[in-house]
Amino acid sequence: MNEFDAIADYLVPLAGPEGKGLLDDAAHFTPPPGFNLVITKDCLVEGVHFPTGEYGSKIAQRLLRTNLSDLAAKAAKPIGYLLSIAWPKSVPISELQAFSKGLAIDQKKFGLTLWGGDTVTTDGPLVVSATLIGLIPTGKSILRSGAKEGDDVWVTGSIGQGYLGLQLATKNMKFKNFSETYKKKLINHYYCPNPRLCMRTILREFATASADISDGLLADTEHIATASSIRITLEQAQIPFDDEALAAFDQNPDLSNHLLTGGDDYEIVFTAPKASREAILVASKDLQCPLIRIGHCHDGRGLQLLDKYGKQIHISQKGYKHF
Ligand code: ADP
Ligand code: MG
């Protein structure tokens, strides 16, 4: 099987009408009137973002879901994607079938189709990259730069599942006291994070700024502070951790810092006016994910984290950095 057969067998069935059956040079798309495009790209490298030797459906799902999380943070509705694959020469291209099954599952679940891409071979590790396209009504764009003094800071879900899932998936740490159910949930979160697309309505209605948590809660919140030229104070006591993670803090004093800075949570941190507090809580009742207020925006620059006594906690590295 060569790369053209692999595209025909495994990728063409995933193509939407915009992709012209993956037989043309490029995709064609007419945006509906009154909508803007929101476009995002993520790249996964074997041995860096997923364990060496794994080429299956889980990797495809992780690729789509990390990108979907960016669209979720921008309150966009996903519609299509372009896919680049640098396939290792040492691995039969027929293994693309398993990968394509993951794409099929998630494009159906999240309502997008394949519009095109590129496939090359490499002597190096598997590298896959997707460019996702979403729609947002014109004038409703939510940037990182819109937070105002006095705004509240909110976060979805719980923090640290990304860090814990990575430790378990790469077998770095064993967390003996975690239940088997919780460990399974964490590993599943690592491969199959749940993009918070359910936040679309709330974000469009109330958010002044938002970001998804891929680098770490502290780093991504600081990105909002920097882009908005304000200072954000987060209160550690308000930050949502899972009960089983909290129970492990005693034996592992550094754990809370790791959870705050580890990244890969794919939750959403956003700011909204204080006046919207009640309305947000009412609107969040119908959501599948919890939503909690963890801090506020004020005059100044940067980010600070306070303990339950109001004392500042110093953390030298606020998130994951590649360089
Ligand atoms: P070109 O050489 O003109 O860039 P290719 O021969 O690489 O085009 O690709 C032919 C068609 O197959 C194009 O429509 C392209 O979008 C599609 N394609 C190639 N690789 C992928 C991929 N990994 N995912 C989706 N579509 C792909
Ligand atoms: Mg061409």
Side-chain angles (χ1 to χ4, degrees):
M1 169 178 264
N2 63 34
E3 88 203 55
F4 298 105
D5 298 330
I7 292 171
D9 287 0
Y10 307 138
L11 299 180
V12 167
L14 305 177
E18 299 83 355
K20 308 290 173 205
L22 305 186
L23 293 169
D24 215 313
D25 297 304
H28 292 73
F29 170 64
T30 311
F35 285 86
N36 284 16
L37 300 184
V38 182
I39 301 160
T40 183
K41 183 179 191 68
D42 262 332
C43 183
L44 299 184
V45 180
E46 177 183 2
V48 179
H49 302 99
F50 58 91
T52 301
E54 290 201 17
Y55 307 110
S57 59
K58 287 192 288 189
I59 309 306
Q61 289 182 288
R62 185 165 156 77
L63 176 66
L64 285 186
R65 286 166 182 241
T66 54
N67 272 297
L68 285 164
S69 175
D70 284 311
L71 291 187
K74 304 295 100 177
K77 179 182 177 335
I79 50 169
Y81 66 104
L82 302 164
L83 175 69
S84 288
I85 300 172
W87 192 262
K89 285 181 184 150
S90 56
V91 182
I93 188 73
S94 55
E95 289 202 27
L96 185 62
Q97 181 171 28
F99 185 86
S100 73
K101 282 190 177 147
L103 298 175
I105 293 168
D106 274 358
Q107 58 172 75
K108 190 157 174 236
K109 182 173 170 77
F110 298 107
L112 67 173
T113 55
L114 183 59
W115 290 7
D118 202 13
T119 307
V120 297
T121 55
T122 172
D123 290 321
L126 174 66
V127 179
V128 285
S129 169
T131 302
L132 263 67
I133 299 115
L135 292 176
I136 184 116
T138 303
K140 288 281 180 189
S141 299
I142 303 153
L143 309 181
R144 290 180 175 180
S145 56
K148 302 272 180 309
E149 276 179 45
D151 281 357
D152 292 326
V153 181
W154 298 79
V155 76
T156 59
S158 71
I159 296 304
Q161 289 192 10
Y163 175 80
L164 294 170
L166 174 67
Q167 300 308 312
L168 289 169
T170 55
K171 303 190 172 55
N172 272 350
M173 283 164 96
K174 300 229 159 31
F175 298 105
K176 287 194 293 293
N177 295 330
F178 286 178
S179 67
E180 288 308 312
T181 323
Y182 187 47
K183 281 191 206 166
K184 237 190 221 153
K185 179 177 161 186
L186 292 171
I187 292 187
N188 191 48
H189 177 279
Y190 173 72
Y191 286 107
C192 250
N194 193 14
R196 297 298 194 183
L197 291 156
C198 59
M199 286 296 296
R200 197 182 301 152
T201 323
I202 289 186
L203 292 174
R204 285 184 188 177
E205 198 164 343
F206 303 108
T208 50
S210 75
D212 77 321
I213 302 176
S214 52
D215 293 339
L217 173 67
L218 301 187
D220 288 308
T221 308
E222 191 169 49
H223 292 152
I224 291 182
T226 305
S228 301
S229 304
I230 46 137
R231 185 164 178 78
I232 291 182
T233 295
L234 296 185
E235 290 169 41
Q236 194 184 32
Q238 304 305 319
I239 294 172
F241 297 112
D242 293 335
D243 289 343
E244 291 203 45
L246 271 174
F249 281 11
D250 283 347
Q251 299 113 44
N252 193 338
D254 291 333
L255 189 57
S256 81
N257 286 358
H258 287 313
L259 302 194
L260 292 170
T261 59
D264 286 345
D265 287 325
Y266 303 109
E267 299 294 348
I268 293 177
V269 56
F270 69 97
T271 58
K274 215 186 256 180
S276 307
R277 239 180 234 184
E278 288 307 313
I280 289 173
L281 287 175
V282 170
S284 75
K285 290 240 164 67
D286 297 329
L287 287 185
Q288 306 97 310
C289 73
L291 198 56
I292 191 164
R293 201 153 45 80
I294 56 169
H296 66 280
C297 306
H298 49 103
D299 183 32
R301 291 290 183 274
L303 175 86
Q304 65 173 352
L305 178 67
L306 302 182
D307 68 14
K308 61 183 171 194
Y309 307 108
K311 214 171 114 235
Q312 194 169 340
I313 301 169
H314 286 282
I315 294 181
S316 50
Q317 172 115 341
K318 296 198 179 79
Y320 184 79
K321 289 196 175 81
H322 278 279
F323 298 99

